[in-house]
Amino acid sequence: MLFVVIAFLGVSLFLYCLLGGADFGAGVLELFLGKSRQEAQRKIIDKAMGPVWEANHMWLILMVVILFMGFPAVYTRVSVNLHIPLTAMLVGIIARGCSFTFRHYDAVKGRSQRAYTAFFVFSSVWTPFCLGVVMGALVPGGIDPAARDYASAYVSPWLRPFPLALGLFTVCLFTFIAAVYLVGECPGDDGLRRSFARKARWASVASIVSGWIVFAGAHADGVPLLAEFLGFGWAFAFMTAATACFGVLWVALYRDWIWTARVMVGAQVALILAGWFQVQHPVLVRMPAGDLTFFNAHAPAATLNQLGGALLVGSVFILPALLWLFLVFKSEEGEEKPVVG
Amino acid sequence: MSDLLAARAQMALSLGFHIIFAAIGMAMPFLMAISHYRWIRTGRRVYLDLTKAWSRGVAIFFATGAVSGTALSFELGLLWPGFMEHAGAVIGMPFSWEGTAFFIEAIALGLFLYGWNRLKPWTHWAVGLVVGISGVLSGVFVVCANAWMNSPAGFDWVAATASTPGHAINIDPFRAMFNDAWKAQTLHMTISAFEATGFAVAGIHALLFLRRPSPFHREAFTIALAVGAIAAIAQPLSGDLLAKGTAERQPIKLAAMESHFETSARAPLLIGGIPDEKTGTVRYGLEIPGALSYLAHGDFNAEVKGLNDFPRENWPPVAPVHYAFQIMVGCGMILAGIGALGLFLLAFKRWRPLLYHRRYLVPCVLATPLGFIALEAGWTVTEVGRQPWIIYGVMRTAEAVTPMPGLVVPFLLFSAVYVFLTGVVTWLLWRHIATVEEKYPSAREGA
């Protein structure tokens, strides 16, 4: 069952980065809507994300549940030492979900819309940045349970080059995912489609650049990322493939091959995570005095069996329902039922 | 402010905030399903308007509940890592089921809110019902975990020694989830969600109906009142079940609820009163002889344990628990009274017009917040009444708190966020209500 649980953790992380990422990225894109046709672009974003954003963020909850039930030692260690970035992320999650919903459901569409948008855009940048910082802090070994003073226990684990660089990369990558997704969400409007495709290309450049910053950050932090990537055959292959996807993507964006572009983005995210997994495995949290790994931090077998069972049974309900949700919103709207009295 | 106090305050604030949205998320879909059912069946405009108006208001509450719930799943670890380290493996099961239910709820909500004209009418209705069912289930699962904190089961605890910290062995997640308290607690919580939401919605529509009678507000008031009233009448029964269980499992909590200091047979039920923890006395209370013995053990002569039988360091704060319990019961009684009268008027066709009489509507308006006050007070009873334990009899709250100093900062941060959000949500609700007449024709016609 341990492997079932690990698989679900991986799949949840992947889907959160892809679906939740597209959702965050859409918020970031609102920063770059340009002068003309702002409203139309915002409408596209609203329409594409409105029905699905809550479901997209459930993958995060699933990850948290898997961690604290399956790997309680990891959950607690991370909660203690990364209190500050996690709290910062939570405030972002709250601000983002609320402002997005309030913007849509405020009965009066007046000046308050500007305030919601400001909160929404800011928290859309802030939250994935914090997420990246938290993920990055697991790698360089800055989390030290023995640390006693405030700075080394609660600040230096995350306030260092690698986590910060990964935060930046996360924001860029999510923006890229969103832009590619939105290209396919404006049927019949070539102007908007071209504008999202242009944003996607810029975001891909930003992702590549920030990807190199991650490698630089790793070097500065003493993480032998480059060496590890070059040393491990698979990780190197994954990264090369992920970079190669950019080439196909650019062509696809020029030619309007919407599904090719989407599949490529999904493949990229999967490859990046697979590469990361390959480098980290089996370590979850690197620590000076002994890492927490999949094999030394997991819960007892009875708990893992329950968790694995719950995940398997749950996915029987969740996955078809999710598919249905996505399909329904690709369908056309029908006629309204007539009113009798 | 000490770190422990700050952590407790932040947790209390976060839960106290979230519980309102969770309760609305549990009950409101059923109110909408009733109205939606009538729309499909009768094709009358008023039910369509009502379902749509409610769902727009509710979307705001759902989103706020979802994000504050997400925050809570992190805060458990951020504030109480000592608890989660051990509890995760034991009581994670209901959380994993809760995650599943919450997921289904989010999917179904997306389908419901945006499914008008895309789904077949009955499919759309069923999806709305799924929102409610999964909402209730996720509430039940979370309360199962809370019940375990009150009535720990499904593990053996190895006490800390000089070399090893305390830890759980022989873990049985199934027994942990279905502990002795789960039935009574989940029942009481679920009913309270319907009671609080039903009366709050009924009260708001009663006020609007008084201002300007319309079929819209009349139907809304009737549906919400009926749901709230049935819940309010059932609630004392589930409360009795829970009190009897508490007398068995946590006699000290019951003693604090009742400010019952000395163990005695034929123990009196205390109504009101100001307890003094130092002297172990109560001033100004009204006592009903034997009633506490009866409520706790079903026998007027049974012995009820008093606080003085327990070591002082295991006492919960007596006065807050006592006051909260009094407030909860008081609000519950008023609502049960209003509800019983309402159901009576509703049941007989010739009395029904009186339901919409000023004399009945005004008390309903005044009762708008009572259900939620009772809900918060009841939550205070169960949480503060469990102190100083986080896992009753096993782990103290002070042992579970994070070692990070300066917890007052996140507490103030979350306070600011939640105060601000409360303000915004209230304002949005007000704006929503203010535009109902303009948006929905059935809210304009005279009744």
Side-chain angles (χ1 to χ4, degrees):
Chain A
M1 270 303 177
L2 177 62
F3 291 97
V4 173
V5 172
I6 294 173
F8 269 98
L9 188 62
V11 170
S12 307
L13 179 62
F14 167 66
L15 289 174
Y16 185 60
C17 286
L18 190 64
L19 303 172
D23 193 52
F24 282 123
V28 182
L29 280 176
E30 289 203 5
L31 265 182
F32 304 102
L33 291 187
K35 287 273 181 293
S36 68
R37 308 198 61 194
Q38 265 198 14
E39 239 357 86
Q41 297 186 60
R42 214 168 274 145
K43 262 213 179 96
I44 296 282
I45 290 173
D46 229 37
K47 201 165 150 242
M49 301 303 172
V52 292
W53 77 269
E54 267 174 312
N56 286 347
H57 287 273
M58 291 298 142
W59 297 108
L60 178 66
I61 306 238
L62 210 57
M63 276 163 60
V64 171
V65 169
I66 292 174
L67 274 184
F68 82 54
M69 192 172 169
F71 304 94
V74 173
Y75 176 80
T76 16
R77 183 46 53 211
V78 169
S79 299
V80 170
N81 294 98
L82 302 181
H83 191 119
I84 295 169
L86 280 171
T87 300
M89 184 176 90
L90 287 186
V91 173
I93 287 176
I94 295 172
R96 192 172 183 284
C98 286
S99 54
F100 184 68
T101 308
F102 295 171
R103 182 168 81 172
H104 185 79
Y105 282 101
D106 191 341
V108 183
K109 301 274 185 287
R111 275 183 312 166
S112 48
Q113 294 286 320
R114 299 235 304 267
Y116 302 136
T117 299
F119 269 104
F120 175 62
V121 169
F122 179 74
S123 53
S124 293
V125 179
W126 178 250
T127 314
F129 177 75
C130 294
L131 180 75
V133 168
V134 169
M135 299 292 293
L138 309 178
V139 179
I143 294 177
D144 182 4
R148 284 291 162 263
D149 66 297
Y150 193 90
S152 59
Y154 304 108
V155 180
S156 67
W158 55 272
L159 192 64
R160 51 199 306 152
F162 183 70
L164 297 178
L166 199 65
L168 182 70
F169 176 66
T170 309
V171 177
C172 295
L173 184 70
F174 285 3
T175 312
F176 175 56
I177 298 171
V180 171
Y181 175 70
L182 288 169
V183 170
E185 290 300 297
C186 18
D189 194 330
D190 280 340
L192 282 188
R193 197 165 61 222
R194 272 197 299 276
S195 124
F196 280 121
R198 199 166 50 243
K199 290 180 178 68
R201 285 192 292 275
W202 276 112
S204 72
V205 172
S207 300
I208 293 170
V209 171
S210 61
W212 282 107
I213 297 177
V214 170
F215 277 92
H219 183 73
D221 237 342
V223 180
L225 196 59
L226 197 60
E228 280 189 61
F229 267 120
L230 296 176
F232 288 73
W234 278 110
F236 179 71
F238 288 144
M239 288 323 276
T240 316
T243 315
C245 286
F246 274 118
V248 183
L249 257 163
W250 273 61
V251 178
L253 286 174
Y254 270 114
R255 298 265 164 100
D256 276 346
W257 301 338
I258 285 154
W259 278 99
T260 312
R262 286 183 179 179
V263 169
M264 281 298 129
V265 161
Q268 268 189 322
V269 173
L271 287 166
I272 291 169
L273 289 174
W276 186 56
F277 181 81
Q278 192 68 29
V279 170
Q280 274 282 85
H281 181 76
V283 177
L284 279 160
V285 186
R286 224 175 265 286
M287 297 195 300
D291 304 333
L292 291 174
T293 71
F294 282 123
F295 305 111
N296 71 12
H298 65 77
T303 307
L304 287 180
N305 288 339
Q306 297 281 0
L307 176 60
L311 290 168
L312 288 171
V313 175
S315 50
V316 171
F317 290 100
I318 288 173
L319 295 177
L322 205 57
L323 195 66
W324 191 37
L325 175 67
F326 286 125
L327 287 178
V328 164
F329 294 104
K330 295 290 147 239
S331 67
E332 291 298 309
E333 275 196 61
E335 295 279 303
E336 185 146 354
K337 183 179 181 289
V339 175
V340 175
Chain B
M1 198 180 218
S2 75
D3 283 322
L4 177 60
L5 191 63
R8 283 182 56 195
Q10 182 179 333
M11 201 65 198
L13 177 84
S14 305
L15 283 166
F17 181 82
H18 177 69
I19 203 170
I20 292 175
F21 297 90
I24 293 171
M26 284 162 84
M28 212 52 212
F30 290 95
L31 266 62
M32 296 194 300
I34 294 173
S35 169
H36 195 179
Y37 175 88
R38 293 190 169 176
W39 151 242
I40 300 175
R41 266 293 150 97
T42 65
R44 282 182 58 203
R45 165 121 246 158
V46 57
Y47 296 120
L48 174 66
D49 287 353
L50 188 53
T51 313
K52 283 200 169 170
W54 271 347
S55 69
R56 289 188 72 84
V58 159
I60 293 168
F61 284 90
F62 267 117
T64 315
V67 293
S68 59
T70 307
L72 272 170
S73 69
F74 282 92
E75 283 178 273
L76 279 170
L78 291 174
L79 298 173
W80 314 108
F83 167 72
M84 293 309 286
E85 189 179 356
H86 302 292
V90 186
I91 199 61
M93 189 165 111
F95 282 113
S96 69
W97 287 113
E98 194 267 347
T100 307
F102 192 12
F103 210 139
I104 301 275
E105 189 185 354
I107 295 172
L109 181 71
L111 279 166
F112 180 79
L113 288 178
Y114 293 80
W116 296 97
N117 311 334
R118 284 177 196 265
L119 298 170
K120 293 202 183 87
W122 285 111
T123 314
H124 190 211
W125 180 79
V127 163
L129 204 61
V130 170
V131 178
I133 292 168
S134 48
V136 166
L137 283 178
S138 58
V140 166
F141 293 139
V142 164
V143 176
C144 277
N146 181 261
W148 176 81
M149 294 161 76
N150 285 315
S151 170
F155 68 101
D156 294 309
W157 186 251
V158 182
T161 61
S163 55
T164 52
H167 58 279
I169 55 167
N170 301 332
I171 290 171
D172 180 350
F174 197 79
R175 278 203 49 218
M177 177 168 170
F178 299 106
N179 54 73
D180 292 337
W182 84 275
K183 274 187 217 153
Q185 259 198 259
T186 56
L187 189 67
H188 199 58
M189 176 68 226
T190 306
I191 295 175
S192 76
F194 284 89
E195 182 177 354
T197 309
F199 275 99
V201 174
I204 291 171
H205 286 285
L207 178 69
L208 296 167
F209 185 81
L210 280 169
R211 258 187 33 192
R212 183 168 178 185
S214 70
F216 181 90
H217 294 306
R218 194 186 58 226
E219 293 306 317
F221 171 74
T222 314
I223 292 170
L225 182 79
V227 170
I230 293 168
I233 291 166
Q235 190 65 319
L237 303 175
S238 82
D240 182 56
L241 196 69
L242 185 53
K244 285 191 166 58
T246 306
E248 290 287 314
R249 295 182 293 266
Q250 294 174 293
I252 191 169
K253 184 191 268 184
L254 186 81
M257 282 152 68
E258 278 294 321
S259 295
H260 185 60
F261 287 97
E262 284 299 331
T263 300
S264 61
R266 231 182 138 64
L269 184 74
L270 181 68
I271 295 174
I274 302 170
D276 184 342
E277 238 178 278
K278 286 208 182 66
T279 58
T281 53
V282 181
R283 282 178 297 159
Y284 312 120
L286 177 67
E287 293 189 342
I288 307 173
L292 179 58
S293 292
Y294 183 77
L295 285 176
H297 301 291
D299 171 5
F300 283 101
N301 291 314
E303 186 184 84
V304 178
K305 281 201 163 190
L307 284 160
N308 289 340
D309 274 19
F310 300 92
R312 196 66 183 243
E313 73 266 18
N314 289 350
W315 284 23
V318 178
V321 178
H322 177 72
Y323 294 140
F325 182 63
Q326 304 287 314
I327 290 169
M328 178 188 79
V329 173
C331 292
M333 295 311 250
I334 296 172
L335 293 182
I338 295 177
L341 179 60
L343 282 187
F344 176 78
L345 296 176
L346 198 61
F348 297 99
K349 253 215 162 101
R350 51 185 294 225
W351 296 113
R352 202 172 294 167
L354 290 178
L355 200 61
Y356 312 108
H357 191 281
R358 218 185 149 71
R359 291 251 169 92
Y360 186 70
L361 291 175
V362 170
C364 285
V365 173
L366 296 175
T368 305
L370 292 189
F372 279 104
I373 292 172
L375 185 76
E376 295 283 3
W379 190 244
T380 308
V381 171
T382 194
E383 289 298 281
V384 179
R386 196 190 56 241
Q387 303 302 323
W389 303 100
I390 189 163
I391 309 171
Y392 184 66
V394 175
M395 182 189 282
R396 284 173 185 275
T397 312
E399 297 170 62
V401 73
T402 179
M404 191 175 99
L407 290 179
V408 68
V409 178
F411 165 61
L412 291 177
L413 179 69
F414 274 90
S415 305
V417 169
Y418 284 145
V419 167
F420 178 65
L421 266 186
T422 306
V424 176
V425 170
T426 313
W427 179 69
L428 282 169
L429 190 66
W430 182 78
R431 272 157 80 102
H432 179 59
I433 290 169
T435 54
V436 156
E437 287 186 6
E438 173 193 322
K439 281 203 180 114
Y440 302 103
S442 62
R444 286 196 293 268
E445 304 154 18

